[in-house]
Amino acid sequence: MKKSLLSLAVSFAVTCSGAALAQGDTASLEQRIADLEKRLEKTEQVAVDAEKQASAFEFHGYARSGLLINDDLNGASGTGPYMTAAGALGGAVGRLGIEDDNYVEVILDHNISQDDGSWSKYRVMIADSTETNNEWTADDSKLNVRQIFAELGGLDSFDGALAYASIWAGKRFDRDNFDIHFMDTDIVFLSGTGAGIYDVQFSEDWQSNFSIYGRDFGTIDSSSLEVENYIVTMNNYIGQWQLMLNAMTAADNEDRDQTASSPTKRAENGYHALLAYHGNNFYGGGEGFSKTGILVGQGLGAELKGIGSNGNLNEDAQAVRLFSYGVTRFADNWRIAPAFLGEFSKDRVKDGDEFLWATANVRLAQELTKNFEMVYEGSYQYMDLDNGTEQADGSFYKATIAPTFKLDTSGGFFQRPEIRFAASYVDWSENLNNYSVSLDNDASTMGEGGEMIFALQMETWF
């Protein structure tokens, strides 16, 4: 009996001890699970923070680099989209196969996004351009900082028409500049140092941007006074239409030193306007896009592309420019991009001068494989130029064929990078040989035409 009682006691003790041990194991397991959950939360937070940190930085860029050889096996010089006598007036021609510079842009952005939807952007852009083919270019470098600005948007303080607006200040290219890529020419290039506000929404279809930019023209020797041109802009988008208005003033600009060879009274004020239609198809039909418009300017505004950038314009200068270009696919493996750009200006450098030029350019691409295509470009420019002392009229011609490699030819004209080889023939009328648009610092001369140019080049952007 005693033995049985002892056995029961031992069994009871063992059972209680096992239960206590089980409870201890359960508590330990729950603690371990809790620790693991905390570590998982911490790991997830680290991942989120890392993702935010990574997305806060952006790297963008553009570059082109290549080699040009003329038919004498020398380095081709004096070429490029502005190689003609009208180049000093902005008269660009097709760029394919004739660009000889090594140009690079590096853009670094830092972005901040808050939980309330507000955001900021800081941008710095560094660029360089050289003509030399050597690997050490310090003596020829034009390295500089082209943009440095900050922008804020999504601010709680903004409502009504400003609900979706952003504000900025610093040195920058205007966000809504646009160009004809195939001729390496901007339609408008508004830039400088200043401040502005984007995306003021007056109605569902009417959006406007406002800005003020400053640009330097130089000093007045007598007082070392810096002459600045201030450009005030209102850029309106109404549906697919754009109406851009610019007014500018540069006090004392007419007092800057004159040169004996260019007796002009420099402008101190100017006006500039752009009316454009941005089509979301190719001139009303077919995939692609098209853009067409007119620019007019007076005084300082007669520099129609680089708005407010030319302080040497005559006070009576007047200019009008027409443009139209588009891109479409007209067959399974064929693309086409026609472009037209023309301008008439008078009293530009001095009273009585008149300059007329017009360029027609066509680029074609024939997709032969996924990674290889043949690209063709034809360019024609007519010039009738009278600088008040001499007059010249005639034409420029260029024809280019360029075997091109890329990652995917179906990506269209604007997919990069591209590696291309090209052969171009350029020629122009004898009347234009050695003609100078200006007797001052807008000089642009052409030698004799009838030349083959061979090129290899890479181009990329992202």
Side-chain angles (χ1 to χ4, degrees):
M1 183 73 174
K2 287 183 180 180
K3 188 174 181 181
S4 297
L5 289 173
L6 180 61
S7 297
L8 287 171
V10 171
S11 297
F12 179 75
V14 170
T15 301
C16 291
S17 175
L21 183 60
Q23 290 177 357
D25 287 346
T26 300
S28 176
L29 182 59
E30 290 176 348
Q31 183 61 44
R32 290 172 63 188
I33 291 174
D35 291 342
L36 287 172
E37 288 177 344
K38 288 182 179 180
R39 290 171 61 185
L40 182 59
E41 289 177 0
K42 188 177 294 185
T43 301
E44 289 176 345
Q45 186 60 47
V46 169
V48 169
D49 292 343
E51 185 178 354
K52 286 183 178 180
Q53 186 72 6
S55 63
F57 290 93
E58 294 181 18
F59 173 46
H60 304 282
Y62 170 82
R64 61 176 179 264
S65 180
L67 183 68
L68 257 63
I69 305 168
N70 65 16
D71 48 15
D72 293 324
L73 296 183
N74 293 313
S77 61
T79 61
Y82 299 92
M83 66 182 291
T84 73
L89 304 167
V93 295
R95 69 193 295 183
L96 185 65
I98 60 172
E99 288 182 310
D100 66 341
D101 60 336
N102 298 294
Y103 178 77
V104 59
E105 295 175 355
V106 174
I107 299 174
L108 299 173
D109 289 346
H110 180 264
N111 303 300
I112 298 175
S113 297
Q114 304 284 12
D115 292 338
D116 64 358
S118 60
W119 56 269
S120 71
K121 176 191 291 289
Y122 162 69
R123 169 169 291 183
V124 59
M125 173 183 173
I126 300 171
D128 189 24
S129 177
T130 63
E131 296 287 335
T132 179
N133 293 318
N134 297 334
E135 80 284 355
W136 191 255
T137 62
D139 293 338
D140 301 293
S141 174
K142 299 177 183 177
L143 184 67
N144 70 99
V145 177
R146 298 193 72 186
Q147 297 190 74
I148 177 169
F149 70 87
E151 187 172 356
L152 305 175
L155 303 179
D156 280 344
S157 301
F158 287 175
D159 57 14
L162 302 180
Y164 301 100
S166 62
I167 58 173
W168 64 269
K171 180 168 73 170
R172 72 173 299 167
F173 302 165
D174 192 75
R175 185 194 67 184
D176 294 335
N177 292 338
F178 66 102
D179 66 347
I180 303 177
H181 167 74
F182 311 102
M183 297 164 66
D184 195 15
T185 182
D186 291 273
I187 298 301
V188 288
F189 187 71
L190 177 62
S191 66
T193 303
I197 182 167
Y198 288 126
D199 303 328
V200 178
Q201 199 80 35
F202 291 114
S203 70
E204 183 178 350
D205 294 324
W206 179 15
Q207 177 180 297
S208 297
N209 308 328
F210 300 88
S211 64
I212 179 169
Y213 285 89
R215 296 187 63 94
D216 294 339
F217 285 161
T219 60
I220 300 173
D221 290 341
S222 60
S223 63
S224 297
L225 178 68
E226 188 74 21
V227 175
E228 291 191 348
N229 185 24
Y230 299 107
I231 308 156
V232 178
T233 298
M234 180 182 184
N235 197 1
N236 304 277
Y237 292 88
I238 305 171
Q240 292 174 263
W241 290 91
Q242 177 185 3
L243 175 61
M244 184 182 193
L245 304 173
N246 302 278
M248 58 205 77
T249 184
D252 301 318
N253 188 48
E254 67 177 33
D255 295 331
R256 287 194 300 125
D257 283 346
Q258 305 291 319
T259 63
S261 62
S262 182
T264 183
K265 186 175 181 181
R266 292 188 175 99
E268 290 192 344
N269 300 288
Y271 304 95
H272 178 285
L274 160 73
L275 178 64
Y277 181 78
H278 300 267
N280 54 16
N281 50 42
F282 186 70
Y283 296 106
E287 66 175 87
F289 71 88
S290 59
K291 298 177 184 288
T292 302
I294 182 172
L295 302 95
V296 295
Q298 184 272 331
L300 291 174
E303 177 58 57
L304 295 177
K305 181 181 74 170
I307 301 175
S309 64
N310 189 349
N312 296 315
L313 291 166
N314 188 14
E315 65 175 357
D316 296 321
Q318 299 178 56
V320 58
R321 178 179 290 193
L322 300 174
F323 71 90
S324 185
Y325 66 103
V327 169
T328 192
R329 182 180 296 276
F330 64 91
D332 288 342
N333 63 333
W334 280 92
R335 307 188 307 273
I336 187 170
F340 171 82
L341 188 66
E343 179 179 300
F344 173 75
S345 62
K346 66 177 184 178
D347 303 324
R348 183 185 184 91
V349 178
K350 56 188 175 182
D351 291 339
D353 64 21
E354 288 190 357
F355 303 108
L356 172 67
W357 58 266
T359 302
N361 190 77
V362 177
R363 185 176 293 192
L364 289 161
Q366 181 185 16
E367 302 161 8
L368 298 178
T369 72
K370 179 179 180 181
N371 309 118
F372 178 75
E373 64 186 16
M374 294 296 295
V375 182
Y376 314 94
E377 184 171 86
S379 194
Y380 170 79
Q381 184 179 83
Y382 172 74
M383 292 160 275
D384 186 356
L385 311 173
D386 182 357
N387 63 18
T389 303
E390 58 179 326
Q391 185 174 3
D393 66 272
S395 300
F396 168 90
Y397 316 87
K398 180 183 81 77
T400 301
I401 181 171
T404 300
F405 292 89
K406 58 201 305 181
L407 293 177
D408 189 350
T409 56
S410 66
F413 280 115
F414 301 106
Q415 187 195 69
R416 296 294 183 273
E418 284 188 354
I419 295 176
R420 57 178 77 109
F421 305 87
S424 302
Y425 179 77
V426 296
D427 198 5
W428 53 84
S429 305
E430 291 184 4
N431 288 347
L432 298 170
N433 289 348
N434 301 314
Y435 179 83
S436 175
V437 163
S438 168
L439 299 177
D440 191 19
N441 51 9
D442 278 339
S444 179
T445 62
M446 300 163 62
E448 295 184 0
E451 183 177 10
M452 286 294 301
I453 300 173
F454 303 94
L456 56 90
Q457 186 188 51
M458 80 84 187
E459 184 180 43
T460 188
W461 61 66
F462 54 90

